[in-house]
Structure formats: structure tokens, C-alpha cells
Amino acid sequence: MTTIKATAAQSIALERRRLTDRTALVRGRVEATPGCNLLPKVANVENRLRLMQFAVAKTLLDEIDDTLEDIRRKAAEADHAQSGRQQDQLLAERGVETFEVGSVRARDGWRWLTSRKPARLSAVQISTGDRYSSVYASAHRDGLSTSANDNALGGDLTIQQVRAAAEQRHAQRQVVEAIHAHIARATGSARLAGLLEAVCGRGETPRQLAGNDDRKAAAVEVELRLALDMAAVAFKMLPRMGEAA
């Protein structure tokens, strides 16, 4: 098999063409990024190419790419922060509280979903999510402190009150487990049950679960609607499963 090697002149021409094409693409990105002040640097690259200083030109192009990526990242972070402020304002208008956690604001993902207009969930799905959220909260709250809060007459808690609170939590946990088991049996996977717990139980948002990817977040919402539909059926079946509805 014959191997054809490029001459030195051909290699130089190929490298020059490759870098020239890359420079043209970078110039287009720079011109489409107002205020980046990188056009003089692009002109410097073009001058280095004319002088056949390819290594210098490549280094400059890498620096420009890094700067453009940094600008893009900061713009995305600013957009995300602005979106968060708009969400907080909308939630506040609808009476949903948010709170500071470090340097970011946390929100109840389920309340956020149900507060959006136009509504993306049916009335049955919202009712089911609310019911699951309430049961989940009861099943996971601290029993002693809850009993103390519920003891409006004051005084020490009786053994009967503590036992009743523990029994209630146990019953609510059984309801949650029954819902999860129904969804898992129907789908052959714990994924949708886990999604229901994450959003309606722990209050995470679809966007958080999707790693802040809007397209993936939309797919998560579709799966959540399916999980809610299945949970609605499971709630109706609770008496037959030996649980209180």
C-alpha cells in the first residue's frame, strides 16, 4: 500500500486554511456578541496568519474562545437569576412563601408548578399532588414536636398522645408506600414513584431534577403528569389495599 505524504508547502497551506476557516467562524461569533471588545484580537489573529505565525494565531483563537464561553456562561447565570426573581415574585403574588438558603432562594417545586399560568396540570392532577404532598409531610414530620404543637391546651404530652402521633405517622407512611408500590408495579420501575416523591414530597422542581436543562425539564414534567395520573388511581384503590383513604 502506497502512502502519500504531503510536502512541507502543502502542510503549511492546509494549516493556514484550517486556521483561516476557524478564524472566520470566531469572527462571526465575536460580531454576534455585543460589547465583548474582541474584534481587535481577531484582527491580530488574521495578521498572524498573514505572517504564517500559526502557533501564535492558534493561541489567540483559544483565548478568544475561552473569553466567549465565559461571557456566555455569565449571561446564562444572569438569565437564570432573573428567572428566579420572576418566579419568586409570581409565587409571592399567589401567597407562596420562599426563603433564603445560602446565596439562593428555595421554593416549593410543587407549589411553583401549580401556580403557573396557564395551568399545565389538570384539576385532578393538582388535587392528587396536593393530597400526596399533605400525606408525605405528615409521614415525615417530627412526631414529638408535631404533637406538642397540636396540644393546644398545653401541659406535658401523655403517652396516649405520643402513641397516637406515632400511629398516625406510620399510617401515612403506609399510604405513601402503597402509592409508590402501585406505580412501580404498573410501570415495572421505581422511576415515576421517585419523581412524584421528589416534586410533590420534597418540593424539588423539574428543572432541578433535569440539571437546569429546560428541554429535559419539559420531559420531566410529562413524566410527572403520568405519575400523578397513576397516583390518582392508587388513592382510589387504597381501601381495597387495606389502607384508609
Side-chain angles (χ1 to χ4, degrees), residues 201-214:
R202 298 195 301 271
E204 297 181 52
T205 65
R207 198 168 190 274
Q208 286 174 320
L209 296 173
N212 293 326
D213 185 310
D214 290 333

Side-chain angles (χ1 to χ4, degrees), residues 66-102:
D66 290 343
T67 302
L68 289 173
E69 177 59 25
D70 189 52
I71 292 173
R72 185 205 63 77
R73 179 181 55 79
K74 289 180 179 178
E77 291 175 352
D79 288 343
H80 181 62
Q82 177 64 20
S83 176
R85 287 191 292 270
Q86 291 173 346
Q87 290 178 5
D88 288 339
Q89 182 179 359
L90 180 58
L91 289 171
E93 291 172 354
R94 286 167 169 73
V96 179
E97 295 184 359
T98 60
F99 54 93
E100 294 291 342
V101 179

Side-chain angles (χ1 to χ4, degrees), residues 207-225:
R207 198 168 190 274
Q208 286 174 320
L209 296 173
N212 293 326
D213 185 310
D214 290 333
R215 185 164 51 186
K216 291 181 180 178
V220 170
E221 286 190 36
V222 172
E223 289 185 312
L224 176 63
R225 289 196 288 271

Side-chain angles (χ1 to χ4, degrees), residues 108-144:
D108 186 316
W110 172 242
R111 297 302 166 206
W112 162 242
L113 281 176
T114 58
S115 70
R116 289 189 308 181
K117 301 297 180 182
R120 299 190 187 183
L121 301 171
S122 69
V124 172
Q125 289 169 338
I126 292 175
S127 175
T128 300
D130 285 342
R131 185 177 181 185
Y132 178 92
S133 181
S134 177
V135 171
Y136 187 91
S138 297
H140 289 81
R141 70 172 56 130
D142 181 83
L144 292 177

Side-chain angles (χ1 to χ4, degrees), residues 180 183-184 187-198 209 216 219-220 223-224 227:
H180 290 183
I183 296 175
T187 62
S189 168
R191 174 177 172 76
L192 290 185
L195 177 58
L196 182 70
E197 179 179 11
L209 296 173
K216 291 181 180 178
V220 170
E223 289 185 312
L224 176 63

